[in-house]
Amino acid sequence: MSTLPSLSPGQAEEVRALGRRAADADGVAALSEQTLLSLAAPEGTVEHVLAYAAGRLGAYAQCQPTDGGDGEGPSVELVVDPPVRRQGLGSAVWAAVEARDPRARVWAHGALPSARGFAAARRLEPVRELHKMARPLTGADATGEAAGAATALPAGFSARTFVPGKDEAAWLETNAAAFAHHPEQGRLTLADLRERMDQPWFDPAGFIVVEADEAPGRVAAFHWTKVDPEQRATTDPAATAGEVYVVGVHPAYQGRGLARPLTALGLAHLAGLGLPEVVLYVDGDNTGALRTYSSLGFRDIMVDVMYSRAVHARV
Ligand SMILES: CC(C)(COP(=O)(O)OP(=O)(O)OC[C@H]1O[C@@H](n2cnc3c(N)ncnc32)[C@H](O)[C@@H]1OP(=O)(O)O)[C@@H](O)C(=O)NCCC(=O)NCCS
């Protein structure tokens, strides 16, 4: 087993292949977008733990340092190749992760039975939940006339699309303010934003920003949608779900009725592309957002659970 500060392109490819084998077997991906992006991260950004079994990569964990001084340990994703599970590989990799930082917290995407059994065996407790919610898209969404999901903004606000090269700083400011208490989203930097803008799925037409008449050039709120072109190419295009990637309202403009029409504006964009469904991810303790999305017709389809050593459990 080795713990590395960076991966070679070949090692990164081995991890992607392991991730694909596990996702095929589990029906859910253990490695998230951020983790896959960080396979190519410069030395020292994240830590990689690799364990080989029978000559090929058998287990992988990536530790993202999310400790912003609030005592939170690294955020970890861990995956074991299906043919070599139940042989102690996951436990060995996790022991290496915890030896480096006992506060480490590991994501179980979809809270699979294997992950729940593993967490119980390793005395890990749930500390965070992430809900994946979904809702069908209709013709009424495309025209902004869906019942309960109208796109008309309150007076004094107007919507337009994000302009690359112009809106970055204003967006980062509003994102940081809107997600000040969010462990990942609130800490996005200009480099993180540019990394996402360089991805094949990035489309400014699906990145809606709202301006207040009183503060032109500033971002009062935004709704960033995402459509994965890889998924569109490899599955039936008509079956691809669009995503409410992130919705944020600057605290100065919260409580003014922006969230629902802003969400509906993104749904109108996705429905206009002919997509049949929309998904989103929201933290289990974000009751306001959960309520907004439920009232817009979203329902839970999966819950991700983050586990940590019992002594550090918070919920
Ligand atoms: C969860 C996972 C990492 C476990 O890896 P592993 O190498 O099979 O785990 P280990 O062999 O070290 O198992 C340790 C103990 O965990 C428990 N466990 C592991 N898999 C389990 C399962 N499918 N059902 C019930 N308990 C399980 C058992 O108590 C096991 O001990 P035992 O085999 O002696 O009974 C692996 O199944 C995996 O990659 N799952 C998909 C990705 C994922 O969910 N990652 C997040 C993990 S929190």
Side-chain angles (χ1 to χ4, degrees), residues 114 182 186 189 247:
S114 62
H182 191 285
T189 62
V247 175

PDB file of all heavy atoms in Angstrom, residues 114 182 186 189 247:
ATOM      1  N   SER A 114     -22.933  -2.471   1.422  1.00  0.00           N
ATOM      2  CA  SER A 114     -21.519  -2.747   1.729  1.00  0.00           C
ATOM      3  C   SER A 114     -20.936  -1.610   2.571  1.00  0.00           C
ATOM      4  O   SER A 114     -20.201  -1.860   3.535  1.00  0.00           O
ATOM      5  CB  SER A 114     -20.712  -2.923   0.443  1.00  0.00           C
ATOM      6  OG  SER A 114     -20.724  -1.733  -0.331  1.00  0.00           O
ATOM      7  N   HIS A 182     -20.988  26.354   4.108  1.00  0.00           N
ATOM      8  CA  HIS A 182     -20.924  25.074   3.397  1.00  0.00           C
ATOM      9  C   HIS A 182     -19.467  24.646   3.269  1.00  0.00           C
ATOM     10  O   HIS A 182     -18.626  25.406   2.803  1.00  0.00           O
ATOM     11  CB  HIS A 182     -21.556  25.202   2.008  1.00  0.00           C
ATOM     12  CG  HIS A 182     -21.765  23.892   1.327  1.00  0.00           C
ATOM     13  ND1 HIS A 182     -20.727  23.183   0.779  1.00  0.00           N
ATOM     14  CD2 HIS A 182     -22.885  23.149   1.122  1.00  0.00           C
ATOM     15  CE1 HIS A 182     -21.206  22.062   0.247  1.00  0.00           C
ATOM     16  NE2 HIS A 182     -22.511  22.023   0.453  1.00  0.00           N
ATOM     17  N   GLY A 186     -18.656  26.801  -0.448  1.00  0.00           N
ATOM     18  CA  GLY A 186     -18.322  28.160  -0.037  1.00  0.00           C
ATOM     19  C   GLY A 186     -16.856  28.504  -0.194  1.00  0.00           C
ATOM     20  O   GLY A 186     -16.474  29.660  -0.117  1.00  0.00           O
ATOM     21  N   THR A 189     -12.537  28.669  -5.291  1.00  0.00           N
ATOM     22  CA  THR A 189     -11.646  29.774  -5.663  1.00  0.00           C
ATOM     23  C   THR A 189     -11.796  30.055  -7.156  1.00  0.00           C
ATOM     24  O   THR A 189     -12.460  29.297  -7.876  1.00  0.00           O
ATOM     25  CB  THR A 189     -10.191  29.376  -5.402  1.00  0.00           C
ATOM     26  OG1 THR A 189      -9.891  28.253  -6.245  1.00  0.00           O
ATOM     27  CG2 THR A 189      -9.963  29.004  -3.952  1.00  0.00           C
ATOM     28  N   VAL A 247     -27.523  26.486  -6.789  1.00  0.00           N
ATOM     29  CA  VAL A 247     -28.348  27.694  -6.720  1.00  0.00           C
ATOM     30  C   VAL A 247     -27.881  28.475  -5.495  1.00  0.00           C
ATOM     31  O   VAL A 247     -27.732  27.899  -4.413  1.00  0.00           O
ATOM     32  CB  VAL A 247     -29.848  27.351  -6.537  1.00  0.00           C
ATOM     33  CG1 VAL A 247     -30.676  28.625  -6.351  1.00  0.00           C
ATOM     34  CG2 VAL A 247     -30.381  26.562  -7.722  1.00  0.00           C
TER      35      VAL A 247
END
